[in-house]
Amino acid sequence: MKKKLYIFIVIILSFLIFAMYKIFVENKTIVEKDTILAMDTQISWVIYEKPSLYPLDLNAKIKTRINELVKLLSVTDENSEIYKVNHHQERDIKLSEDTKNVVLFALQMAEKTNGALEPTIYPVLREWGFTTGKYQIPDETKIRDLLNYVDYRKVSLKENQIYLPEGMQIDLGAVAKGYIGDEIIKILKANNISSALINLGGNVQLLGTKQNGDLWNIGLKSPNSQDYIGILRLADCAIVTSGNYERYFIGEDNKRYWHILDGKTGKPADKHINSVTIVTKQGKLGDALSTALFVMGVDEAINYWKQNKDENNAFEMILITDDKKIYITENLVDSFTLQDKYKDYHMVVVTL
């Protein structure tokens, strides 16, 4: 009798231990990390989810989608669709749906920003060596000649058919990473993920909050050093920064030349801005505006912000200038903390 009672108690205890373990494991949040090199950028993601809900093939799905888009959008990959558009003898080419969507968005943003975002700048960008690594300062005559092939208004896109005049080439680098980030977010949402952080170089995209409900802490890089000038506390948005400290070279004249070119001059945009950070819902919009507003300069960027407050185009921004001023739109003030060592920077709140 005692033996049967003992066995019964052991079975009950085993069941309770198993049940408690199962409850613990199913409610425990796991951290899933992965990374891939694409478009000269280390793309990484951190996903938080319960083990029982985490799809086993999720990382593979993300990598597959990234590789699909790179094969379409890369300007240097000889097998990409954009490369073929730029080098095909026939200037009238049918695009895939993804490439069409990105080209259309880039052209729309070029129109909205009056060419501050210029997707046909590629011939000039290449001449400076920013796509090849063979940096040089082009002479004025060469720049003037190449600017004859820079004008987004000459690109014709009808449904999936694109036409480029001879000599013109397009570069989607100012929107491609943002589009890729948006596509990763779509995959995560489709797989019921509610908390994730995606890092695409100068682009960060957040899905939801941290797993415990807290806001994410995102460092804003200092234009003049390797540390952070401040911290943004945000959730469920895209944070995109473009700056003159990212890709640049020092010329023989000891001046710094950066990769963000003004489509009207063919030279690095120099409106005394060191960096532009955009906070918005769409990565591709943040990508486009971080470049465009850098080209515009402070006054024009502020006017653009004031004129684009509808739901589809709304964004917030931080502009850091070379005279140690930080222009920050009013809705970001409570989300931003300036690091103590940068207290000599003057904060200017931008209001409507």
Side-chain angles (χ1 to χ4, degrees), residues 307-325:
Q307 294 166 11
N308 289 272
K309 302 305 292 180
D310 60 282
E311 185 177 351
N312 293 327
N313 298 299
F315 67 96
E316 304 300 330
M317 66 180 184
I318 297 176
L319 313 176
I320 301 179
T321 59
D322 57 14
D323 59 352
K324 292 190 173 183
K325 289 181 181 177

Side-chain angles (χ1 to χ4, degrees), residues 123-319:
V124 185
L125 195 68
R126 187 183 57 215
E127 186 65 23
W128 279 89
F130 287 112
T131 61
T132 63
K134 299 177 181 178
Y135 302 117
Q136 63 174 348
I137 304 172
D139 61 56
E140 296 287 343
T141 302
K142 185 65 174 179
I143 291 177
R144 282 197 301 271
D145 289 344
L146 289 174
L147 284 176
N148 291 321
Y149 303 103
V150 176
D151 189 346
Y152 69 91
R153 295 168 296 184
K154 295 179 181 179
V155 178
S156 173
L157 182 65
K158 296 180 179 179
E159 295 184 351
N160 288 65
Q161 210 76 18
I162 187 171
Y163 171 78
L164 290 180
E166 187 174 352
M168 288 190 71
Q169 296 181 322
I170 57 174
D171 178 11
L172 301 174
V175 294
K177 283 198 298 182
Y179 185 84
I180 290 172
D182 291 338
E183 290 298 298
I184 296 174
I185 293 290
K186 285 181 183 178
I187 293 173
L188 296 176
K189 287 182 175 180
N191 285 272
N192 299 311
I193 302 298
S194 59
S195 178
L197 182 151
I198 306 160
N199 192 329
L200 306 96
N203 301 33
V204 173
Q205 294 198 223
L206 307 174
L207 177 58
T209 62
K210 291 181 181 180
Q211 73 277 19
N212 61 0
D214 289 347
L215 298 175
W216 301 91
N217 294 316
I218 306 299
L220 190 62
K221 191 176 181 303
S222 166
N224 302 311
S225 65
Q226 293 302 310
D227 60 0
Y228 297 118
I229 193 170
I231 303 294
L232 280 165
R233 297 178 306 282
L234 297 165
D236 211 30
C237 63
I239 305 144
V240 184
T241 299
S242 291
N244 60 12
Y245 54 84
E246 294 172 316
R247 290 168 55 199
Y248 67 90
F249 70 92
I250 305 299
E252 295 178 357
D253 54 2
N254 286 324
K255 292 182 180 179
R256 180 190 297 196
Y257 296 90
W258 46 86
H259 75 292
I260 306 173
L261 303 186
D262 187 330
K264 293 179 175 61
T265 66
K267 299 176 182 179
D270 191 7
K271 300 288 180 64
H272 304 291
I273 290 181
N274 286 337
S275 71
V276 173
T277 297
I278 303 294
V279 178
T280 186
K281 286 296 182 182
Q282 298 180 74
K284 64 181 181 181
L285 180 62
D287 221 358
L289 289 178
S290 67
T291 298
L293 271 56
F294 188 99
V295 173
M296 289 181 187
V298 172
D299 292 341
E300 195 175 342
I302 290 174
N303 287 334
Y304 187 91
W305 173 75
K306 290 180 178 181
Q307 294 166 11
N308 289 272
K309 302 305 292 180
D310 60 282
E311 185 177 351
N312 293 327
N313 298 299
F315 67 96
E316 304 300 330
M317 66 180 184
I318 297 176
L319 313 176

